[in-house]
Amino acid sequence: AGALDPRLHIGDIVLSIDAIEHDMDAGGLDYRPGVIPDMEVREGFDGTRFMASGELRALAERTAASALPDVHVLTGTVLSGDVFIASKEQKDRLTGTFSGAACCEMEGASIAHVSFLNGLPFLIIRAISDGADDGALMDYPTFEKHAAANSIKLCLGMLEDYEV
């Protein structure tokens, strides 16, 4: 994922509090960016944000403390869209539009959306691979493997600690 929160650096991990499809734009129908028109608002979805599982997030936080003691873990909003964010202008637009945005990527909110529709809990775990800015295209290939390795360690640790 690309870092939107200035406290995040390459190799850090984000655990979702919620997820937003930032490319959902029905502004021509007088909706704010991110609002999904005609979708029922109910527990777990406020019209824009899909709420992640607090139980899964707590498990990930506990696991990260032991499995990745030297990695900075932050909780926040994960933004998803169909574009790779690679400029300061794009990054500024996202952080100015969506409060609490920690990182941006391309899949998580879609999975959150499907999870919500099927009544399933979810948690998005993202390792920061770039700064979602003018250096993103250079940073991503360099740090992709490192970021993936941190995510794998965390997920495997969570599976070991998960209680059914």
Side-chain angles (χ1 to χ4, degrees):
L4 297 175
D5 188 307
R7 297 173 293 173
L8 288 168
H9 303 286
I10 292 170
D12 290 348
I13 297 227
V14 173
L15 305 175
S16 65
I17 292 173
D18 53 16
I20 298 173
E21 295 171 309
H22 73 75
D23 57 351
M24 175 57 72
D25 188 355
L29 301 173
D30 290 328
Y31 290 96
R32 295 181 331 274
V35 172
I36 301 174
D38 300 325
M39 190 164 154
E40 180 185 350
V41 173
R42 63 179 196 263
E43 185 179 346
F45 176 67
D46 70 0
T48 303
R49 296 170 187 266
F50 296 97
M51 304 307 295
S53 164
E55 181 181 339
L56 290 174
R57 188 173 47 257
L59 171 62
E61 288 174 321
R62 287 190 311 271
T63 304
S66 60
L68 300 167
D70 298 327
V71 175
H72 176 233
V73 177
L74 184 84
T75 60
T77 298
V78 174
L79 302 181
S80 300
D82 64 355
V83 64
F84 185 85
I85 305 301
S87 75
K88 183 179 181 332
E89 292 78 21
Q90 290 172 303
K91 183 175 181 172
D92 290 346
R93 180 183 58 78
L94 291 177
T95 57
T97 303
F98 301 103
S99 64
C103 67
C104 57
E105 41 89 283
M106 301 175 85
E107 307 86 11
S110 297
I111 293 168
H113 191 146
V114 171
S115 295
F116 171 76
L117 291 175
N118 287 285
L120 300 170
F122 76 91
L123 176 69
I124 302 167
I125 299 170
R126 286 295 187 206
I128 299 301
S129 59
D130 60 79
D133 56 19
D134 298 315
L137 293 175
M138 178 184 67
D139 292 344
Y140 182 82
T142 305
F143 295 100
E144 176 184 24
K145 288 183 177 129
H146 173 71
N150 282 348
S151 293
I152 291 167
K153 264 187 189 174
L154 179 56
C155 289
L156 290 175
M158 287 176 67
L159 288 172
E160 288 177 11
D161 294 340
Y162 187 73
E163 295 178 19
V164 180

